[in-house]
Each structure stands twice: as C-alpha cells, then as structure tokens.
PDB file of all heavy atoms in Angstrom:
ATOM      1  N   ALA A   1     -75.589   4.432 -73.188  1.00 93.00           N
ATOM      2  CA  ALA A   1     -75.400   5.853 -72.899  1.00 93.00           C
ATOM      3  C   ALA A   1     -76.601   6.639 -73.417  1.00 93.00           C
ATOM      4  O   ALA A   1     -76.643   7.040 -74.575  1.00 93.00           O
ATOM      5  CB  ALA A   1     -74.113   6.356 -73.529  1.00 93.00           C
ATOM      6  N   GLY A   2     -77.623   6.821 -72.581  1.00 94.00           N
ATOM      7  CA  GLY A   2     -78.803   7.589 -72.948  1.00 94.00           C
ATOM      8  C   GLY A   2     -79.910   6.797 -73.615  1.00 94.00           C
ATOM      9  O   GLY A   2     -80.816   7.391 -74.198  1.00 94.00           O
ATOM     10  N   PHE A   3     -79.857   5.489 -73.547  1.00 96.00           N
ATOM     11  CA  PHE A   3     -80.920   4.666 -74.114  1.00 96.00           C
ATOM     12  C   PHE A   3     -80.980   3.333 -73.374  1.00 96.00           C
ATOM     13  O   PHE A   3     -80.051   2.958 -72.661  1.00 96.00           O
ATOM     14  CB  PHE A   3     -80.717   4.439 -75.625  1.00 96.00           C
ATOM     15  CG  PHE A   3     -79.527   3.593 -75.969  1.00 96.00           C
ATOM     16  CD1 PHE A   3     -79.662   2.225 -76.195  1.00 96.00           C
ATOM     17  CD2 PHE A   3     -78.264   4.155 -76.073  1.00 96.00           C
ATOM     18  CE1 PHE A   3     -78.559   1.442 -76.516  1.00 96.00           C
ATOM     19  CE2 PHE A   3     -77.159   3.380 -76.402  1.00 96.00           C
ATOM     20  CZ  PHE A   3     -77.302   2.021 -76.619  1.00 96.00           C
ATOM     21  N   ALA A   4     -82.099   2.644 -73.555  1.00 95.00           N
ATOM     22  CA  ALA A   4     -82.269   1.316 -72.965  1.00 95.00           C
ATOM     23  C   ALA A   4     -82.668   0.341 -74.066  1.00 95.00           C
ATOM     24  O   ALA A   4     -83.309   0.720 -75.043  1.00 95.00           O
ATOM     25  CB  ALA A   4     -83.351   1.349 -71.881  1.00 95.00           C
ATOM     26  N   VAL A   5     -82.270  -0.915 -73.887  1.00 97.00           N
ATOM     27  CA  VAL A   5     -82.624  -1.982 -74.809  1.00 97.00           C
ATOM     28  C   VAL A   5     -83.275  -3.090 -73.998  1.00 97.00           C
ATOM     29  O   VAL A   5     -82.803  -3.443 -72.911  1.00 97.00           O
ATOM     30  CB  VAL A   5     -81.385  -2.552 -75.542  1.00 97.00           C
ATOM     31  CG1 VAL A   5     -81.770  -3.721 -76.432  1.00 97.00           C
ATOM     32  CG2 VAL A   5     -80.696  -1.474 -76.349  1.00 97.00           C
ATOM     33  N   SER A   6     -84.360  -3.623 -74.520  1.00 95.00           N
ATOM     34  CA  SER A   6     -85.047  -4.721 -73.861  1.00 95.00           C
ATOM     35  C   SER A   6     -85.472  -5.726 -74.922  1.00 95.00           C
ATOM     36  O   SER A   6     -85.875  -5.338 -76.017  1.00 95.00           O
ATOM     37  CB  SER A   6     -86.266  -4.181 -73.116  1.00 95.00           C
ATOM     38  OG  SER A   6     -86.857  -5.186 -72.335  1.00 95.00           O
ATOM     39  N   ALA A   7     -85.365  -7.023 -74.585  1.00 96.00           N
ATOM     40  CA  ALA A   7     -85.751  -8.071 -75.532  1.00 96.00           C
ATOM     41  C   ALA A   7     -86.447  -9.201 -74.794  1.00 96.00           C
ATOM     42  O   ALA A   7     -86.104  -9.509 -73.650  1.00 96.00           O
ATOM     43  CB  ALA A   7     -84.519  -8.613 -76.261  1.00 96.00           C
ATOM     44  N   VAL A   8     -87.427  -9.801 -75.452  1.00 94.00           N
ATOM     45  CA  VAL A   8     -88.075 -11.018 -74.961  1.00 94.00           C
ATOM     46  C   VAL A   8     -88.087 -12.033 -76.088  1.00 94.00           C
ATOM     47  O   VAL A   8     -88.195 -11.679 -77.269  1.00 94.00           O
ATOM     48  CB  VAL A   8     -89.524 -10.790 -74.446  1.00 94.00           C
ATOM     49  CG1 VAL A   8     -89.535  -9.880 -73.236  1.00 94.00           C
ATOM     50  CG2 VAL A   8     -90.436 -10.252 -75.533  1.00 94.00           C
ATOM     51  N   ALA A   9     -87.944 -13.288 -75.703  1.00 93.00           N
ATOM     52  CA  ALA A   9     -87.996 -14.377 -76.670  1.00 93.00           C
ATOM     53  C   ALA A   9     -88.791 -15.511 -76.039  1.00 93.00           C
ATOM     54  O   ALA A   9     -88.639 -15.806 -74.858  1.00 93.00           O
ATOM     55  CB  ALA A   9     -86.589 -14.838 -77.037  1.00 93.00           C
ATOM     56  N   ASP A  10     -89.623 -16.130 -76.827  1.00 89.00           N
ATOM     57  CA  ASP A  10     -90.491 -17.202 -76.361  1.00 89.00           C
ATOM     58  C   ASP A  10     -90.185 -18.444 -77.190  1.00 89.00           C
ATOM     59  O   ASP A  10     -90.528 -18.505 -78.370  1.00 89.00           O
ATOM     60  CB  ASP A  10     -91.946 -16.777 -76.533  1.00 89.00           C
ATOM     61  CG  ASP A  10     -92.952 -17.808 -76.025  1.00 89.00           C
ATOM     62  OD1 ASP A  10     -92.530 -18.877 -75.537  1.00 89.00           O
ATOM     63  OD2 ASP A  10     -94.151 -17.547 -76.131  1.00 89.00           O
ATOM     64  N   GLY A  11     -89.518 -19.401 -76.565  1.00 85.00           N
ATOM     65  CA  GLY A  11     -89.221 -20.650 -77.257  1.00 85.00           C
ATOM     66  C   GLY A  11     -90.498 -21.398 -77.572  1.00 85.00           C
ATOM     67  O   GLY A  11     -91.400 -21.482 -76.740  1.00 85.00           O
ATOM     68  N   LEU A  12     -90.596 -21.917 -78.779  1.00 81.00           N
ATOM     69  CA  LEU A  12     -91.791 -22.656 -79.180  1.00 81.00           C
ATOM     70  C   LEU A  12     -91.818 -24.008 -78.470  1.00 81.00           C
ATOM     71  O   LEU A  12     -90.840 -24.762 -78.522  1.00 81.00           O
ATOM     72  CB  LEU A  12     -91.828 -22.842 -80.694  1.00 81.00           C
ATOM     73  CG  LEU A  12     -92.394 -21.645 -81.485  1.00 81.00           C
ATOM     74  CD1 LEU A  12     -91.639 -20.375 -81.236  1.00 81.00           C
ATOM     75  CD2 LEU A  12     -92.484 -21.969 -82.940  1.00 81.00           C
ATOM     76  N   GLY A  13     -92.923 -24.288 -77.793  1.00 74.00           N
ATOM     77  CA  GLY A  13     -93.049 -25.469 -76.953  1.00 74.00           C
ATOM     78  C   GLY A  13     -92.837 -26.792 -77.664  1.00 74.00           C
ATOM     79  O   GLY A  13     -92.471 -27.782 -77.043  1.00 74.00           O
ATOM     80  N   SER A  14     -93.025 -26.814 -78.959  1.00 67.00           N
ATOM     81  CA  SER A  14     -92.845 -28.056 -79.703  1.00 67.00           C
ATOM     82  C   SER A  14     -91.385 -28.323 -80.048  1.00 67.00           C
ATOM     83  O   SER A  14     -91.062 -29.360 -80.607  1.00 67.00           O
ATOM     84  CB  SER A  14     -93.670 -28.005 -80.993  1.00 67.00           C
ATOM     85  OG  SER A  14     -93.258 -26.901 -81.778  1.00 67.00           O
ATOM     86  N   SER A  15     -90.495 -27.413 -79.708  1.00 76.00           N
ATOM     87  CA  SER A  15     -89.078 -27.531 -80.047  1.00 76.00           C
ATOM     88  C   SER A  15     -88.274 -27.973 -78.832  1.00 76.00           C
ATOM     89  O   SER A  15     -88.363 -27.371 -77.766  1.00 76.00           O
ATOM     90  CB  SER A  15     -88.541 -26.195 -80.554  1.00 76.00           C
ATOM     91  OG  SER A  15     -89.219 -25.807 -81.719  1.00 76.00           O
ATOM     92  N   ALA A  16     -87.465 -28.998 -79.005  1.00 84.00           N
ATOM     93  CA  ALA A  16     -86.734 -29.618 -77.896  1.00 84.00           C
ATOM     94  C   ALA A  16     -85.769 -28.667 -77.184  1.00 84.00           C
ATOM     95  O   ALA A  16     -85.579 -28.771 -75.974  1.00 84.00           O
ATOM     96  CB  ALA A  16     -85.968 -30.843 -78.402  1.00 84.00           C
ATOM     97  N   HIS A  17     -85.165 -27.738 -77.911  1.00 85.00           N
ATOM     98  CA  HIS A  17     -84.162 -26.842 -77.314  1.00 85.00           C
ATOM     99  C   HIS A  17     -84.560 -25.371 -77.455  1.00 85.00           C
ATOM    100  O   HIS A  17     -83.705 -24.497 -77.575  1.00 85.00           O
ATOM    101  CB  HIS A  17     -82.793 -27.087 -77.949  1.00 85.00           C
ATOM    102  CG  HIS A  17     -82.333 -28.497 -77.824  1.00 85.00           C
ATOM    103  ND1 HIS A  17     -81.975 -29.059 -76.616  1.00 85.00           N
ATOM    104  CD2 HIS A  17     -82.214 -29.470 -78.748  1.00 85.00           C
ATOM    105  CE1 HIS A  17     -81.633 -30.316 -76.807  1.00 85.00           C
ATOM    106  NE2 HIS A  17     -81.778 -30.597 -78.098  1.00 85.00           N
ATOM    107  N   SER A  18     -85.852 -25.111 -77.413  1.00 86.00           N
ATOM    108  CA  SER A  18     -86.310 -23.732 -77.585  1.00 86.00           C
ATOM    109  C   SER A  18     -85.896 -22.840 -76.424  1.00 86.00           C
ATOM    110  O   SER A  18     -85.749 -21.633 -76.603  1.00 86.00           O
ATOM    111  CB  SER A  18     -87.819 -23.693 -77.786  1.00 86.00           C
ATOM    112  OG  SER A  18     -88.480 -24.215 -76.652  1.00 86.00           O
ATOM    113  N   ASP A  19     -85.664 -23.410 -75.239  1.00 88.00           N
ATOM    114  CA  ASP A  19     -85.184 -22.606 -74.115  1.00 88.00           C
ATOM    115  C   ASP A  19     -83.780 -22.075 -74.399  1.00 88.00           C
ATOM    116  O   ASP A  19     -83.468 -20.929 -74.087  1.00 88.00           O
ATOM    117  CB  ASP A  19     -85.214 -23.411 -72.817  1.00 88.00           C
ATOM    118  CG  ASP A  19     -84.411 -24.692 -72.874  1.00 88.00           C
ATOM    119  OD1 ASP A  19     -84.368 -25.350 -73.943  1.00 88.00           O
ATOM    120  OD2 ASP A  19     -83.807 -25.062 -71.846  1.00 88.00           O
ATOM    121  N   VAL A  20     -82.952 -22.888 -75.027  1.00 91.00           N
ATOM    122  CA  VAL A  20     -81.599 -22.454 -75.410  1.00 91.00           C
ATOM    123  C   VAL A  20     -81.690 -21.371 -76.477  1.00 91.00           C
ATOM    124  O   VAL A  20     -81.021 -20.337 -76.397  1.00 91.00           O
ATOM    125  CB  VAL A  20     -80.765 -23.655 -75.926  1.00 91.00           C
ATOM    126  CG1 VAL A  20     -79.419 -23.200 -76.469  1.00 91.00           C
ATOM    127  CG2 VAL A  20     -80.599 -24.702 -74.840  1.00 91.00           C
ATOM    128  N   ALA A  21     -82.543 -21.593 -77.475  1.00 91.00           N
ATOM    129  CA  ALA A  21     -82.704 -20.621 -78.559  1.00 91.00           C
ATOM    130  C   ALA A  21     -83.227 -19.284 -78.035  1.00 91.00           C
ATOM    131  O   ALA A  21     -82.751 -18.224 -78.457  1.00 91.00           O
ATOM    132  CB  ALA A  21     -83.646 -21.172 -79.625  1.00 91.00           C
ATOM    133  N   SER A  22     -84.187 -19.317 -77.118  1.00 93.00           N
ATOM    134  CA  SER A  22     -84.744 -18.054 -76.616  1.00 93.00           C
ATOM    135  C   SER A  22     -83.692 -17.265 -75.836  1.00 93.00           C
ATOM    136  O   SER A  22     -83.618 -16.049 -75.951  1.00 93.00           O
ATOM    137  CB  SER A  22     -85.999 -18.292 -75.783  1.00 93.00           C
ATOM    138  OG  SER A  22     -85.711 -18.899 -74.547  1.00 93.00           O
ATOM    139  N   GLU A  23     -82.862 -17.956 -75.073  1.00 95.00           N
ATOM    140  CA  GLU A  23     -81.783 -17.276 -74.333  1.00 95.00           C
ATOM    141  C   GLU A  23     -80.766 -16.673 -75.300  1.00 95.00           C
ATOM    142  O   GLU A  23     -80.349 -15.520 -75.136  1.00 95.00           O
ATOM    143  CB  GLU A  23     -81.094 -18.254 -73.374  1.00 95.00           C
ATOM    144  CG  GLU A  23     -79.868 -17.697 -72.695  1.00 95.00           C
ATOM    145  CD  GLU A  23     -80.125 -16.555 -71.718  1.00 95.00           C
ATOM    146  OE1 GLU A  23     -81.261 -16.415 -71.237  1.00 95.00           O
ATOM    147  OE2 GLU A  23     -79.169 -15.794 -71.439  1.00 95.00           O
ATOM    148  N   LEU A  24     -80.357 -17.443 -76.304  1.00 96.00           N
ATOM    149  CA  LEU A  24     -79.416 -16.925 -77.304  1.00 96.00           C
ATOM    150  C   LEU A  24     -79.998 -15.705 -78.018  1.00 96.00           C
ATOM    151  O   LEU A  24     -79.291 -14.724 -78.262  1.00 96.00           O
ATOM    152  CB  LEU A  24     -79.078 -18.010 -78.327  1.00 96.00           C
ATOM    153  CG  LEU A  24     -78.198 -19.162 -77.864  1.00 96.00           C
ATOM    154  CD1 LEU A  24     -78.170 -20.276 -78.912  1.00 96.00           C
ATOM    155  CD2 LEU A  24     -76.783 -18.682 -77.561  1.00 96.00           C
ATOM    156  N   ALA A  25     -81.277 -15.753 -78.355  1.00 96.00           N
ATOM    157  CA  ALA A  25     -81.915 -14.665 -79.100  1.00 96.00           C
ATOM    158  C   ALA A  25     -82.029 -13.392 -78.265  1.00 96.00           C
ATOM    159  O   ALA A  25     -81.599 -12.318 -78.699  1.00 96.00           O
ATOM    160  CB  ALA A  25     -83.296 -15.098 -79.595  1.00 96.00           C
ATOM    161  N   ALA A  26     -82.617 -13.487 -77.080  1.00 96.00           N
ATOM    162  CA  ALA A  26     -82.848 -12.284 -76.265  1.00 96.00           C
ATOM    163  C   ALA A  26     -81.534 -11.634 -75.849  1.00 96.00           C
ATOM    164  O   ALA A  26     -81.330 -10.430 -76.033  1.00 96.00           O
ATOM    165  CB  ALA A  26     -83.694 -12.627 -75.040  1.00 96.00           C
ATOM    166  N   ARG A  27     -80.649 -12.422 -75.274  1.00 97.00           N
ATOM    167  CA  ARG A  27     -79.367 -11.876 -74.803  1.00 97.00           C
ATOM    168  C   ARG A  27     -78.520 -11.377 -75.984  1.00 97.00           C
ATOM    169  O   ARG A  27     -77.979 -10.270 -75.951  1.00 97.00           O
ATOM    170  CB  ARG A  27     -78.598 -12.927 -74.021  1.00 97.00           C
ATOM    171  CG  ARG A  27     -77.217 -12.451 -73.552  1.00 97.00           C
ATOM    172  CD  ARG A  27     -76.472 -13.526 -72.781  1.00 97.00           C
ATOM    173  NE  ARG A  27     -77.117 -13.829 -71.527  1.00 97.00           N
ATOM    174  CZ  ARG A  27     -76.943 -13.151 -70.406  1.00 97.00           C
ATOM    175  NH1 ARG A  27     -76.139 -12.120 -70.382  1.00 97.00           N
ATOM    176  NH2 ARG A  27     -77.573 -13.510 -69.301  1.00 97.00           N
ATOM    177  N   GLY A  28     -78.411 -12.204 -77.019  1.00 98.00           N
ATOM    178  CA  GLY A  28     -77.554 -11.847 -78.145  1.00 98.00           C
ATOM    179  C   GLY A  28     -77.995 -10.588 -78.864  1.00 98.00           C
ATOM    180  O   GLY A  28     -77.182  -9.718 -79.177  1.00 98.00           O
ATOM    181  N   ALA A  29     -79.285 -10.462 -79.142  1.00 98.00           N
ATOM    182  CA  ALA A  29     -79.789  -9.282 -79.863  1.00 98.00           C
ATOM    183  C   ALA A  29     -79.645  -8.023 -79.016  1.00 98.00           C
ATOM    184  O   ALA A  29     -79.221  -6.974 -79.516  1.00 98.00           O
ATOM    185  CB  ALA A  29     -81.237  -9.492 -80.275  1.00 98.00           C
ATOM    186  N   ALA A  30     -79.991  -8.110 -77.732  1.00 98.00           N
ATOM    187  CA  ALA A  30     -79.883  -6.925 -76.864  1.00 98.00           C
ATOM    188  C   ALA A  30     -78.425  -6.489 -76.706  1.00 98.00           C
ATOM    189  O   ALA A  30     -78.116  -5.296 -76.799  1.00 98.00           O
ATOM    190  CB  ALA A  30     -80.510  -7.211 -75.507  1.00 98.00           C
ATOM    191  N   GLU A  31     -77.533  -7.435 -76.483  1.00 98.00           N
ATOM    192  CA  GLU A  31     -76.118  -7.084 -76.334  1.00 98.00           C
ATOM    193  C   GLU A  31     -75.551  -6.500 -77.625  1.00 98.00           C
ATOM    194  O   GLU A  31     -74.756  -5.560 -77.584  1.00 98.00           O
ATOM    195  CB  GLU A  31     -75.308  -8.302 -75.886  1.00 98.00           C
ATOM    196  CG  GLU A  31     -75.558  -8.655 -74.431  1.00 98.00           C
ATOM    197  CD  GLU A  31     -74.774  -9.864 -73.944  1.00 98.00           C
ATOM    198  OE1 GLU A  31     -74.223 -10.617 -74.789  1.00 98.00           O
ATOM    199  OE2 GLU A  31     -74.718 -10.060 -72.718  1.00 98.00           O
ATOM    200  N   PHE A  32     -75.957  -7.031 -78.777  1.00 98.00           N
ATOM    201  CA  PHE A  32     -75.520  -6.496 -80.063  1.00 98.00           C
ATOM    202  C   PHE A  32     -75.940  -5.023 -80.176  1.00 98.00           C
ATOM    203  O   PHE A  32     -75.138  -4.167 -80.569  1.00 98.00           O
ATOM    204  CB  PHE A  32     -76.129  -7.316 -81.205  1.00 98.00           C
ATOM    205  CG  PHE A  32     -75.643  -6.918 -82.573  1.00 98.00           C
ATOM    206  CD1 PHE A  32     -74.596  -7.600 -83.170  1.00 98.00           C
ATOM    207  CD2 PHE A  32     -76.244  -5.881 -83.272  1.00 98.00           C
ATOM    208  CE1 PHE A  32     -74.144  -7.244 -84.440  1.00 98.00           C
ATOM    209  CE2 PHE A  32     -75.802  -5.512 -84.529  1.00 98.00           C
ATOM    210  CZ  PHE A  32     -74.744  -6.195 -85.123  1.00 98.00           C
ATOM    211  N   CYS A  33     -77.183  -4.730 -79.829  1.00 98.00           N
ATOM    212  CA  CYS A  33     -77.675  -3.346 -79.901  1.00 98.00           C
ATOM    213  C   CYS A  33     -76.947  -2.446 -78.913  1.00 98.00           C
ATOM    214  O   CYS A  33     -76.601  -1.304 -79.247  1.00 98.00           O
ATOM    215  CB  CYS A  33     -79.185  -3.314 -79.671  1.00 98.00           C
ATOM    216  SG  CYS A  33     -80.128  -3.999 -81.053  1.00 98.00           S
ATOM    217  N   LEU A  34     -76.705  -2.942 -77.716  1.00 98.00           N
ATOM    218  CA  LEU A  34     -75.988  -2.134 -76.716  1.00 98.00           C
ATOM    219  C   LEU A  34     -74.575  -1.798 -77.187  1.00 98.00           C
ATOM    220  O   LEU A  34     -74.067  -0.704 -76.912  1.00 98.00           O
ATOM    221  CB  LEU A  34     -75.949  -2.856 -75.371  1.00 98.00           C
ATOM    222  CG  LEU A  34     -77.273  -2.885 -74.613  1.00 98.00           C
ATOM    223  CD1 LEU A  34     -77.237  -3.914 -73.489  1.00 98.00           C
ATOM    224  CD2 LEU A  34     -77.610  -1.497 -74.071  1.00 98.00           C
ATOM    225  N   ARG A  35     -73.945  -2.692 -77.906  1.00 98.00           N
ATOM    226  CA  ARG A  35     -72.585  -2.447 -78.411  1.00 98.00           C
ATOM    227  C   ARG A  35     -72.565  -1.514 -79.619  1.00 98.00           C
ATOM    228  O   ARG A  35     -71.566  -0.834 -79.860  1.00 98.00           O
ATOM    229  CB  ARG A  35     -71.916  -3.763 -78.838  1.00 98.00           C
ATOM    230  CG  ARG A  35     -71.440  -4.636 -77.731  1.00 98.00           C
ATOM    231  CD  ARG A  35     -70.555  -5.782 -78.238  1.00 98.00           C
ATOM    232  NE  ARG A  35     -71.127  -6.543 -79.348  1.00 98.00           N
ATOM    233  CZ  ARG A  35     -71.917  -7.607 -79.212  1.00 98.00           C
ATOM    234  NH1 ARG A  35     -72.247  -8.043 -78.006  1.00 98.00           N
ATOM    235  NH2 ARG A  35     -72.373  -8.239 -80.276  1.00 98.00           N
ATOM    236  N   ASN A  36     -73.642  -1.473 -80.398  1.00 98.00           N
ATOM    237  CA  ASN A  36     -73.584  -0.802 -81.694  1.00 98.00           C
ATOM    238  C   ASN A  36     -74.446   0.442 -81.849  1.00 98.00           C
ATOM    239  O   ASN A  36     -74.313   1.139 -82.853  1.00 98.00           O
ATOM    240  CB  ASN A  36     -73.950  -1.810 -82.796  1.00 98.00           C
ATOM    241  CG  ASN A  36     -72.880  -2.865 -82.938  1.00 98.00           C
ATOM    242  OD1 ASN A  36     -71.806  -2.592 -83.454  1.00 98.00           O
ATOM    243  ND2 ASN A  36     -73.145  -4.066 -82.456  1.00 98.00           N
ATOM    244  N   ILE A  37     -75.321   0.718 -80.917  1.00 98.00           N
ATOM    245  CA  ILE A  37     -76.166   1.920 -81.010  1.00 98.00           C
ATOM    246  C   ILE A  37     -75.518   3.045 -80.217  1.00 98.00           C
ATOM    247  O   ILE A  37     -74.994   2.835 -79.127  1.00 98.00           O
ATOM    248  CB  ILE A  37     -77.600   1.631 -80.518  1.00 98.00           C
ATOM    249  CG1 ILE A  37     -78.288   0.690 -81.508  1.00 98.00           C
ATOM    250  CG2 ILE A  37     -78.398   2.927 -80.338  1.00 98.00           C
ATOM    251  CD1 ILE A  37     -79.678   0.249 -81.103  1.00 98.00           C
ATOM    252  N   ARG A  38     -75.570   4.236 -80.772  1.00 97.00           N
ATOM    253  CA  ARG A  38     -75.018   5.436 -80.135  1.00 97.00           C
ATOM    254  C   ARG A  38     -76.040   6.562 -80.234  1.00 97.00           C
ATOM    255  O   ARG A  38     -76.781   6.660 -81.220  1.00 97.00           O
ATOM    256  CB  ARG A  38     -73.734   5.894 -80.832  1.00 97.00           C
ATOM    257  CG  ARG A  38     -72.634   4.858 -80.863  1.00 97.00           C
ATOM    258  CD  ARG A  38     -71.972   4.734 -79.496  1.00 97.00           C
ATOM    259  NE  ARG A  38     -71.019   3.647 -79.496  1.00 97.00           N
ATOM    260  CZ  ARG A  38     -71.251   2.430 -79.009  1.00 97.00           C
ATOM    261  NH1 ARG A  38     -72.416   2.127 -78.505  1.00 97.00           N
ATOM    262  NH2 ARG A  38     -70.318   1.507 -79.018  1.00 97.00           N
ATOM    263  N   ARG A  39     -76.039   7.420 -79.240  1.00 94.00           N
ATOM    264  CA  ARG A  39     -76.880   8.621 -79.295  1.00 94.00           C
ATOM    265  C   ARG A  39     -76.514   9.413 -80.541  1.00 94.00           C
ATOM    266  O   ARG A  39     -75.368   9.439 -80.953  1.00 94.00           O
ATOM    267  CB  ARG A  39     -76.695   9.475 -78.057  1.00 94.00           C
ATOM    268  CG  ARG A  39     -77.316   8.856 -76.839  1.00 94.00           C
ATOM    269  CD  ARG A  39     -77.356   9.806 -75.654  1.00 94.00           C
ATOM    270  NE  ARG A  39     -78.195  10.967 -75.869  1.00 94.00           N
ATOM    271  CZ  ARG A  39     -79.531  10.970 -75.893  1.00 94.00           C
ATOM    272  NH1 ARG A  39     -80.187   9.859 -75.728  1.00 94.00           N
ATOM    273  NH2 ARG A  39     -80.198  12.080 -76.075  1.00 94.00           N
TER     274      ARG A  39
END
C-alpha cells in the first residue's frame, strides 16, 4: 500500500543448492517486508 519491494539473490556457483537458497532468500525477504511494512 504505497510502496514497492524488490529483491535479488545470486546463488554462489560453487554451492550445490545455491539456486534453492537464492529463491528462498529473494522471495522470503520481499514477502516478509510486504507483510510487515506500513506507510
């Protein structure tokens, strides 16, 4: 409501499941902010 949230995450190439971690990080952090920030 009156703001935008954007997140990017870059999984480290040397990590076997960094694609999973980057998805959890970007989506989770942005959704947390969308739920908890108010004008």
Side-chain angles (χ1 to χ4, degrees):
F3 68 96
V5 176
S6 187
V8 296
D10 182 0
L12 277 58
S14 59
S15 298
H17 303 291
S18 62
D19 57 324
V20 174
S22 71
E23 173 66 21
L24 288 170
R27 177 180 293 276
E31 287 180 346
F32 185 96
C33 289
L34 287 165
R35 285 191 310 271
N36 292 287
I37 291 176
R38 302 285 174 260
R39 288 190 64 73

